[in-house]
Each structure stands twice: as C-alpha cells, then as structure tokens.
Amino acid sequence: MSLVAKVFRHKSVEQLQAEASKRTDFRRVLGLWQLTAIGIGGIIGVGVFVLAGHEAATNAGPAVALAFLLAGIASAAAALCYAEFAGMIPVTGSAYTYSYATLGELPAWLIGWDLLLEYALIVAVVAIGWSGYVQALLGSAGFHLPVWAQGAIGTGEGRVFNLIAALATLGVSALLVFRTEWGARFNTLIVAIKVVAVVLVIGVGAFYIDPANWVPFIPERVVDANGVGHFGLQGVATAAAVVFFAVFGYDTLTTAAEESKNPQRDLPRAVLLSLGVSMALYLAVSLVLTGIAPYTTLGGDAPVSEAFTRLGLPWIAAAISISAVIGIASVLFAFMLGAARIWFSLSRDGLLPGWFAKIHPKYGTPHRPTIVLGVFTALVAGFLPIGEVAKLVNIGVLSAFIIICASVWVLRVRKPDLHRAFRTPLVPLIPLIGIAFSIWLLSELAAITWLIFLIWVSLGLVVYFAYGIHHSKLAAEVQE
C-alpha cells in the first residue's frame, strides 16, 4: 500500500454504524437531559458572567445582544452539522471519528490531536478563571490563601502556584474516573443551579430596565489614544468574534456517544437543545444587563453582580457570585470529559498506545487518560498565567468546525442515501456559513497562536509517522 493510501485509509460510515451497536467498552447510562446538561455546562460560563458586560463596555454597547446573535448563527451552522454526524455515527470521538469516516486517517489524527490539546487547555483556562472567583469569595469572608498559592509566577509578587486552579482540575478528573452517571448527575445539578441563577438575573433585572440605557443601541465608532477602534458596526463584529468562543461547547457531549442510552435519537436533540437554551439565555441576559446599567459601567471583573449591587440589590449580587463559582465547574466537567474520550478513541484505534484504551473494570470509565489529563491540566493551571494559556485555545476547535461542516457537504454528495437520524437543512448553505465564520475567526487569531499551533501539529505528525501509522488498527484490518 502506498503512503498516500495509508494516510487516507478510512472506515466506511456503514461500517461504523454497524459497529456502534456492538460496542461494549462503555456502559450506556446517559439520557437526553444528562447529555443536554453536558452541552449547556460546556457553553454557559464566563460568557454570561463576564463577556457580555465586558464586550458591551468595550466594543458593542447595548448591541452586544446583536453580537451574541451573530455568533449564535455561526455556531448554530456548525451545531446542525454536528447533529447530523452525531445521529449518523454514534461513536465516541466526535469530530475525530467523523473525520476518520470521511477524510481519512491522517486528517482525523490531526483533528483528534488538536482537540486533545484544545480541550485540555480550555480546562486549564477555565480553572484559572474559576480560581479568581473562588479567591474573591473567600476573601470577602476574611479567608486568604498564602501568597505563594494565590497564582502563577508573573501574576503578582510572591506568587508561585495557583493552588485552587490545580485542585479544581484534579477534583473534576477524580469525579470523571468514577461512574459516568455519578459525574453526570452532579453536573446536571450544577447546570440547574447555573440556569436558575441566569433566570434570576433575567427575571429580577427585567423590572429595573431603563430603555434610555439602550440608546444609542449601536454607539458611534470611536478610536482611543492607542489607535484602537471601539463600537460602531465594526465593534459589533469584533464583539461577535470574541463571544463566539462562549457559544460552543455542545461538541463535548458528542464525545460521550457510546455512553448514551439512545445515541441516534438523543445526541442530535441534545446538541440543538443545549445551544438553543444557551443562546436564549445569552440574548436575554445581554438585553437585561445593558438595560439595567449604562454600558460604560460594565467593564469590571464581575459586571453582572456589580450591576445589581449598584441597583441596591446586594443579595442578588451575592447569589450571582456564588452561582458563578458553582456553575463554571460544569465547564471543567464538559471539556475534561471530551478530552478523555478523544484520547481513548485515538488509543482504541491504535494511533496512541492501547494502554490508554482500557476501561476501569469497576467504574466503566476511561480512567487512565482522565487521570493523566487531570495531572497535566493541574500543572498548566497551577504554573502558567491565564493570558499565556488563553493564547493557545480555540484554533483547534475552529479547525474541527471547518472539517465537520465540509464533511457533511461531502457525504451528501458521495452518499446521499445513507440513513441519517437528523439531516442538516439547507445543505450546502448551512455548512458554508459555518465554514466562512470559522475561517474569519481563525484570521482574527494572534500570530503566536498560529505559531504554537504549527509546532503542536508538527509534533503530531512526528508521533503519527513514528507510531500511529504502524500501529493503526485499521491498517491491520485492511491487511486481513
């Protein structure tokens, strides 16, 4: 077999569909609402509690709701494509597995390799941000950590290690090692608390809206002393690019396909439900937040709770802060779960050592990659500042979006008669919208992000050609 044939070998969709019902690696314990909670948990986080206010204050004004709407349209295009694949190929691995079925082994490996890093780093970034919330809450109660444990080197004098961030990732890792349904139930409870808090913001805030705060809805374009532009239609577009990264996360639930009780029915529904609920909440919070406070006052670290404090409602502010601390933990859960299952899939297919593809005999979880990821993310979250880690995320997810959207279109042309539990509407228009937005957002990323991405891809190519291409389970099947 030629090298080109090797790197583009793939399993047929029909073969994966046949194998899906026979897989016994995982216990099927997740229902529709638990899957939806994983998706909502991955989506709703700092977008509600921080980004909505920050982008209103710096880029979009009251039109931050419009920015979320634009970002939601882009994310929905990718979500519809994910939903089609989730119903068609209900196998653990998400974008990696879908790419393996349509584009071949090497492209799939690169997507899986990229997502493995991206998901792990998202866990680290969220853990660092979560640590700030927790320390602020502890500080208000008069308790302070030793200076060395308050943050990474470079984040303040005397700081060495972010202890709370590290403990958070280790705790989520331990939770995911035990039975999946235990973690899922805990996650569902956390998500419920978070949604209640957001509904509280909307319900109470609606009575304090001053329509004058929405005028002008799109503030006039201005340029600051550093030559940086703010507001206007361009500012809304800039805000949309920023908040886009708060409206994905539903892809993590598709990595749990083999733990779903009825994946072909529930996975597409969970993808669309989680994005739909999250977008409705984002839009409502954006309108309420800019309605209860002038947008120029929303640039603080905790804009939602600060806005309610200024209204003379400190109990609402306290409830929001506590809910934010509790709720952001669900983001850690969603992305840690996704990373561990992608690693498991890569190992089960032989592209990484099979030692990682062993399921815990008692708990039925991929404990080995979960533990390694827990330690890795703890070290990253503990020793690196959030700004440095944040530079590395998002590029792999956007690349996966492009691949998924393109693959739906390709499969519609190649195999139009395949059974699809859910069909993406308006193909190729919807995939093209997802591809176009993703390419635009990729073009907005910093040069350092691209450099690190290329280094990681290069390392991935070395691993694949040194190990994966020779140990691929698919290669062995083809030879037989």
Side-chain angles (χ1 to χ4, degrees):
M1 183 183 290
S2 69
L3 179 62
V4 172
K6 287 181 179 178
V7 299
F8 288 106
R9 57 195 171 203
H10 64 272
K11 288 185 177 182
S12 68
V13 175
E14 295 88 346
Q15 184 180 357
L16 285 168
Q17 288 176 336
E19 289 179 358
S21 60
K22 300 176 184 177
R23 292 284 191 189
T24 58
D25 295 313
F26 295 98
R27 295 161 55 250
R28 295 193 177 275
V29 294
L30 301 179
L32 173 62
W33 298 113
Q34 289 170 317
L35 290 167
T36 303
I38 292 171
I40 293 174
I43 299 170
I44 295 181
V46 294
V48 162
F49 298 112
V50 179
L51 279 183
H54 182 270
E55 289 308 304
T58 57
N59 284 313
V64 69
L66 182 58
F68 270 109
L69 183 61
L70 290 173
I73 292 171
S75 189
L80 288 165
C81 295
Y82 264 97
E84 177 164 323
F85 267 115
M88 185 168 53
I89 309 175
V91 178
T92 289
S94 187
Y96 156 70
T97 299
Y98 309 153
S99 302
Y100 212 156
T102 55
L103 302 179
E105 188 170 275
L106 180 58
W109 159 259
L110 290 175
I111 286 296
W113 181 252
D114 292 339
L115 286 179
L116 186 59
L117 178 66
E118 299 295 314
Y119 282 6
L121 292 179
I122 288 172
V123 170
V125 167
V126 173
I128 297 169
W130 186 78
S131 173
Y133 274 104
V134 173
Q135 291 190 57
L137 205 59
L138 292 175
S140 65
F143 179 80
H144 300 277
L145 292 176
V147 174
W148 68 265
Q150 292 179 6
I153 295 173
T155 62
E157 187 177 351
R159 293 184 175 185
V160 178
F161 188 76
N162 194 325
L163 182 62
I164 289 180
L167 290 176
T169 65
L170 291 173
V172 171
S173 173
L175 184 64
L176 282 166
V177 165
F178 295 106
R179 292 184 185 276
T180 301
E181 64 268 36
W182 295 354
R185 289 169 189 162
F186 181 72
N187 180 69
T188 301
L189 175 62
I190 289 175
V191 170
I193 293 171
K194 179 163 57 176
V195 171
V196 167
V198 176
V199 172
L200 182 66
V201 169
I202 297 166
V204 175
F207 291 99
Y208 292 86
I209 289 175
D210 179 359
N213 288 326
W214 290 333
V215 181
F217 191 68
I218 303 178
E220 187 177 347
R221 183 79 173 165
V222 296
V223 178
D224 63 23
N226 297 317
V228 178
H230 303 275
F231 308 115
L233 289 175
Q234 190 175 343
V236 174
T238 300
V242 173
V243 302
F244 179 83
F245 302 123
V247 295
F248 65 75
Y250 52 77
D251 48 312
T252 58
L253 73 86
T254 63
T255 65
E258 290 174 39
E259 292 156 279
S260 170
K261 295 175 182 177
N262 191 341
Q264 289 186 305
R265 182 196 69 184
D266 290 346
L267 288 176
R269 292 180 181 182
V271 167
L272 300 179
L273 266 174
S274 59
L275 180 61
V277 170
S278 300
M279 283 308 306
L281 295 176
Y282 273 134
L283 291 173
V285 166
S286 298
L287 289 171
V288 167
L289 186 59
T290 54
I292 66 176
Y295 68 87
T296 53
T297 66
L298 298 175
D301 293 334
V304 180
S305 59
E306 290 167 5
F308 278 96
T309 299
R310 286 191 293 269
L311 288 176
L313 299 171
W315 66 275
I316 293 286
I320 291 168
S321 296
I322 294 170
S323 299
V325 169
I326 296 172
I328 290 175
S330 64
V331 183
L332 300 177
F333 180 91
F335 282 97
M336 182 78 80
L337 179 144
R341 277 139 187 83
I342 287 174
W343 191 334
F344 172 88
S345 296
L346 291 168
S347 299
R348 185 171 65 183
D349 290 336
L351 303 183
L352 286 175
W355 185 82
F356 293 106
K358 304 296 182 183
I359 295 297
H360 194 285
K362 180 178 179 181
Y363 300 122
T365 58
H367 58 296
R368 290 172 176 172
T370 303
I371 292 170
V372 174
L373 283 165
V375 174
F376 171 75
T377 54
L379 293 174
V380 172
F383 284 113
L384 295 180
I386 190 169
E388 297 304 312
V389 182
K391 291 176 182 176
L392 310 182
V393 303
N394 299 322
I395 194 167
V397 177
L398 288 170
S399 302
F401 279 10
I402 292 172
I403 295 297
I404 293 303
C405 292
S407 296
V408 163
W409 186 9
V410 169
L411 267 187
R412 286 290 188 91
V413 174
R414 286 183 183 173
K415 299 186 177 182
D417 298 325
L418 272 176
H419 171 68
R420 292 168 170 86
F422 174 86
R423 296 178 67 87
T424 303
L426 301 176
V427 174
L429 177 60
I430 294 297
L432 284 173
I433 290 173
I435 291 169
F437 267 91
S438 297
I439 291 175
W440 168 54
L441 291 168
L442 284 170
S443 71
E444 295 288 318
L445 296 178
I448 185 64
T449 304
W450 279 99
L451 176 61
I452 295 170
F453 174 71
L454 292 174
I455 292 172
W456 181 251
V457 168
S458 300
L459 179 60
L461 289 171
V462 171
V463 173
Y464 176 75
F465 285 107
Y467 183 90
I469 195 172
H470 305 295
H471 294 83
S472 167
K473 296 286 183 65
L474 184 56
E477 292 174 11
V478 171
Q479 290 175 357
E480 290 174 2

